[in-house]
Amino acid sequence: MPKLYSISEVKKILNKHNLKANKSLGQNFLVDANIVHKIVDAADILNDDIVVEIGPGLGVLTCALAEKAKKVIAVEIDSKIIPVLKENVEPYENIEIVHADALKINFDALVKEKAFDDKEAFSYKLVANLPYYITSPVIMHMLTNKFNLNTMVIMVQLEVAKRIVAGPGSKDYGILSIAVQYYAEPKIVFKVPKTVFFPKPDVDSAVLKLSIRKNPAVDVADESLFFKVIRAAFANRRKKILNSLLCGIDLPKELIKKVLKDAGIDGMQRGEDLSLGDFAKLTDYVLRALSKT
Ligand code: SAM
């Protein structure tokens, strides 16, 4: 294991290679052994697990994952850091570095190519200290593509973690909470102070565990309409649901009122008061009304 557990060692490695942490790529390197091991523990890695890491950086988490997993496939966008990363992970034969933008990757195809025979059924874990500028896009890329993941253990900004786990009635509850909770069961495993990174970010973080559901949390006949209804409901948080739907769904007022009544929802409520189940019911009645117009 290369020495990556202190600010001075990380600085030394960067200087040696004439590199600087690239802010625009969200490069805040973990320098705390305890936090790295807590992340690995949270992922409950078994020795036959395949783990995907997004943004390995200098490889601190990559090496710790490789100690436990069968194979680690680490996807890094920064071509400048890759030679250093390769040098740092060199002692591990079970680490594969892929130079790519994680947002453009079909992870099932990648994992299949790197770790499984064609016919085998397979599943894998994602473990990452995510670059903060693309936290939500990465999470949604992994979930909406319905990749064969069973677990995601990810470091994100504390504020984003709170939004993801929030329930109805909370100020943090919104589209991100519903979208993630539709596909997964999220929980905050532990909070992380900004002092364990170099360079130090402006905000605190948290490690989130998402257990991916076999089937979505609620049944909906039309998934894209479900998300359209949710976007309409949260387009203006202060608006009542009746007015939100009037703006976002192409139905006359009388039909919107009927849809709400049939779904058992008070039109004077706001989007933030409604549960996933309420949104699912609402979507099914909206679909029925739309198909009759
Ligand atoms: N895992 C390392 C650690 O914990 O010290 C580095 C984490 S750092 C917060 C985020 C890493 O993601 C950086 O190495 C950055 O270059 C990489 N990254 C940024 N955007 C990316 C993308 N679209 N695809 C893959 N990697 C990306």
Side-chain angles (χ1 to χ4, degrees):
M1 170 83 196
K3 288 186 192 151
L4 293 166
Y5 289 141
S6 80
I7 293 180
S8 60
E9 289 297 339
V10 167
K11 275 186 180 169
K12 215 189 280 174
I13 290 179
L14 291 173
N15 285 341
K16 182 177 149 202
H17 295 272
N18 219 2
L19 285 176
K20 281 206 166 91
N22 186 331
K23 254 193 169 177
S24 63
L25 288 179
Q27 290 182 352
N28 300 99
F29 303 111
L30 262 172
V31 291
D32 186 298
N34 181 40
I35 298 292
V36 169
H37 290 118
K38 276 174 80 174
I39 295 174
V40 175
D41 288 348
D44 292 323
I45 294 169
L46 305 174
N47 58 12
D48 60 349
D49 272 337
I50 304 300
V51 177
V52 165
E53 185 190 4
I54 291 177
L58 295 170
V60 68
L61 184 56
T62 326
C63 294
L65 290 167
E67 298 275 352
K68 294 263 169 99
K70 182 174 177 191
K71 185 161 199 161
V72 181
I73 303 167
V75 178
E76 173 58 58
I77 199 171
D78 184 6
S79 57
K80 287 199 182 132
I81 218 168
I82 284 191
V84 192
L85 170 64
K86 285 195 169 154
E87 196 178 308
N88 288 344
V89 305
E90 210 256 340
Y92 296 90
E93 283 177 1
N94 59 341
I95 294 178
E96 186 131 3
I97 306 295
V98 177
H99 178 210
D101 177 349
L103 288 176
K104 297 194 176 137
I105 285 201
N106 176 334
F107 280 92
D108 279 2
L110 177 73
V111 169
K112 208 158 194 179
E113 179 200 328
K114 303 283 181 199
F116 292 97
D117 286 345
D118 233 14
K119 292 182 198 89
E120 258 179 294
F122 67 98
S123 182
Y124 50 98
K125 291 178 171 164
L126 170 77
V127 183
N129 170 15
L130 286 178
Y132 289 172
Y133 75 108
I134 47 163
T135 307
S136 301
V138 167
I139 295 173
M140 294 323 293
H141 178 68
M142 303 311 292
L143 295 176
T144 57
N145 281 300
K146 300 185 177 155
F147 292 138
N148 249 325
L149 283 168
N150 51 56
T151 312
M152 287 166 68
V153 172
I154 46 178
M155 174 98 74
V156 302
Q157 303 98 304
L158 179 58
E159 168 254 325
V160 173
K162 285 183 177 165
R163 278 165 52 207
I164 286 175
V165 301
S170 151
K171 69 173 176 31
D172 294 320
Y173 183 63
I175 298 175
L176 186 63
S177 335
I178 296 173
V180 173
Q181 291 170 30
Y182 178 69
Y183 296 106
E185 270 180 81
K187 91 168 188 220
I188 295 179
V189 193
F190 57 92
K191 295 180 185 166
V192 181
K194 38 187 144 168
T195 46
V196 302
F197 301 93
F198 173 78
K200 195 164 76 165
D202 296 331
V203 293
D204 287 328
S205 301
V207 170
L208 260 186
K209 183 167 187 171
L210 308 188
S211 306
I212 315 296
R213 300 178 193 276
K214 289 222 159 50
N215 296 301
V218 287
D219 278 336
V220 280
D222 183 333
E223 222 167 65
S224 74
L225 183 63
F226 176 63
F227 285 108
K228 188 173 177 183
V229 167
I230 291 162
R231 280 195 300 277
F234 287 98
N236 180 341
R237 291 185 76 94
R238 292 161 55 98
K239 264 193 188 164
K240 315 275 190 227
I241 188 72
L242 171 64
N243 291 329
S244 302
L245 293 182
L246 268 173
C247 294
I249 302 293
D250 195 15
L251 283 173
K253 188 168 186 175
E254 285 320 303
L255 272 182
I256 299 264
K257 278 185 171 172
K258 181 172 177 348
V259 158
L260 284 164
K261 188 163 177 262
D262 290 347
I265 293 165
D266 178 353
M268 291 301 109
Q269 285 186 293
R270 296 188 168 85
E272 66 197 44
D273 299 317
L274 306 185
S275 67
L276 261 80
D278 291 331
F279 280 114
K281 225 186 302 169
L282 192 51
T283 304
D284 286 348
Y285 283 106
V286 169
L287 183 64
R288 273 185 227 179
L290 284 171
S291 64
K292 283 184 195 152
T293 56

